[in-house]
Amino acid sequence: MDKKNYLFILTFLIAACVALKPADKPSIYIIGDSTVRNSNKEMWGWGTLLPEFFDTTKVSINNQAMAGRSTRTFVKEQRWAKVLEMLKPGDYVLMQFGHNEGSKPDTTKKGYRGVLRGIGQDSVNLVWPDGKPETVYTYGHYLRKFIDEARAKGATPIVLSMIPRNDWKDGKVILADKDFGLWAQQVAAEKNVTFINLNKRTADKYNAMGPDAVAKLFPFEHTHTSKEGARINAESVVQGIKASNEKRLKTFLSK
């Protein structure tokens, strides 16, 4: 065989191998706080248990949530930039924030995570003791940033409201339907993306269980759940996916 024919056959075989190579699996990236990803000891995040409900031969679950983070600090600490760098067309981004946003944004330790309330275009300019400036925006602004930038990478963003705390009033779990849960829903509607009302879905389950049974799901305080509680929240996420219009995402479910 002469060199010309050899190179032709070699090129053909390489091209055939590339053509036969299966496409990279899509990934589901999860961003959020400790209720999504935790120590996985006494306290668990629902994102850790989400792979139990998916066929991981068809899709990868990449939980990038980090304890203690708000929408603001997830951006500020370059955690969102890391996710963006990994995102590819066909991927998904599930975002759930709201537990750490509540403090007034300033340069104190308490205000480090805080955002401006609501979904408007307001902002506040801060100057840290080292002279570094920072502009802080509303909760809605940061959600829009995640949505717009995920879409720009060809990924599908999905917004979730925060999980309910073990807080009760008149025999019912207190919903986050007047602040962060409401604002998440409003931004999702504005941007025409899927919204999963995780707050209400799990709260409905807690109401059916009753305060005594639900208390057992919170081993230390009213925000962070046990593994069993995290599984309940993961189930609520999956139920929200099943009820949505995300047809392709549903094909990856195993349960």
Side-chain angles (χ1 to χ4, degrees), residues 69-72 97-103 113-115 139 180:
R69 271 59 187 183
S70 63
T71 47
R72 170 190 170 191
F97 289 94
H99 289 284
N100 297 317
E101 270 80 358
S103 60
R113 304 184 297 187
V115 302
Y139 178 69
F180 293 101

Side-chain angles (χ1 to χ4, degrees), residues 49-252:
L49 298 179
L50 198 63
E52 293 183 6
F53 300 87
F54 281 86
D55 183 347
T56 54
T57 67
K58 296 179 180 178
V59 67
S60 299
I61 311 291
N62 192 324
N63 190 356
Q64 289 291 319
M66 183 57 63
R69 271 59 187 183
S70 63
T71 47
R72 170 190 170 191
T73 54
F74 204 84
V75 172
K76 182 178 179 178
E77 296 173 2
Q78 301 298 310
R79 297 181 185 279
W80 174 238
K82 176 184 175 182
V83 173
L84 267 183
E85 188 176 341
M86 295 185 289
L87 274 182
K88 63 184 183 299
D91 286 345
Y92 295 84
V93 179
L94 273 60
M95 59 191 80
Q96 184 233 272
F97 289 94
H99 289 284
N100 297 317
E101 270 80 358
S103 60
K104 178 183 177 181
D106 57 31
T107 57
T108 66
K109 182 178 180 180
K110 181 179 180 181
Y112 176 80
R113 304 184 297 187
V115 302
L116 295 179
R117 297 175 67 80
I119 63 173
Q121 301 300 330
D122 315 50
S123 64
V124 60
N125 294 316
L126 305 177
V127 179
W128 287 85
D130 62 0
K132 186 175 181 180
E134 181 189 7
T135 302
V136 180
Y137 301 95
T138 64
Y139 178 69
H141 168 91
Y142 293 108
L143 291 184
R144 291 187 189 99
K145 177 181 177 67
F146 298 146
I147 291 168
D148 291 343
E149 294 181 356
R151 278 176 162 168
K153 295 295 292 283
T156 299
I158 296 175
V159 178
L160 298 86
S161 53
M162 56 201 270
I163 69 169
R165 292 185 169 99
N166 183 28
D167 290 333
W168 299 72
K169 183 178 181 179
D170 300 327
K172 298 291 183 181
V173 173
I174 298 174
L175 296 174
D177 59 353
K178 295 178 178 60
D179 46 35
F180 293 101
L182 172 63
W183 300 331
Q185 185 172 14
Q186 289 173 331
V187 171
E190 172 195 322
K191 288 294 185 177
N192 194 29
V193 301
T194 293
F195 173 70
I196 296 176
N197 198 339
L198 178 57
N199 191 261
K200 185 178 186 304
R201 284 185 176 275
T202 293
D204 287 346
K205 296 173 184 177
Y206 288 173
N207 289 335
M209 294 170 63
D212 292 341
V214 171
K216 297 176 182 178
L217 303 176
F218 292 83
F220 296 108
E221 24 74 350
H222 67 169
T223 300
H224 299 97
T225 69
S226 63
K227 186 174 184 180
E228 182 182 355
R231 182 171 285 110
I232 289 173
N233 283 304
E235 289 171 348
S236 294
V237 173
V238 170
Q239 289 163 359
I241 292 171
K242 289 179 177 178
S244 75
N245 293 322
E246 299 291 346
K247 295 180 180 179
R248 175 169 172 261
L249 185 57
K250 294 177 192 179
T251 66
F252 302 139

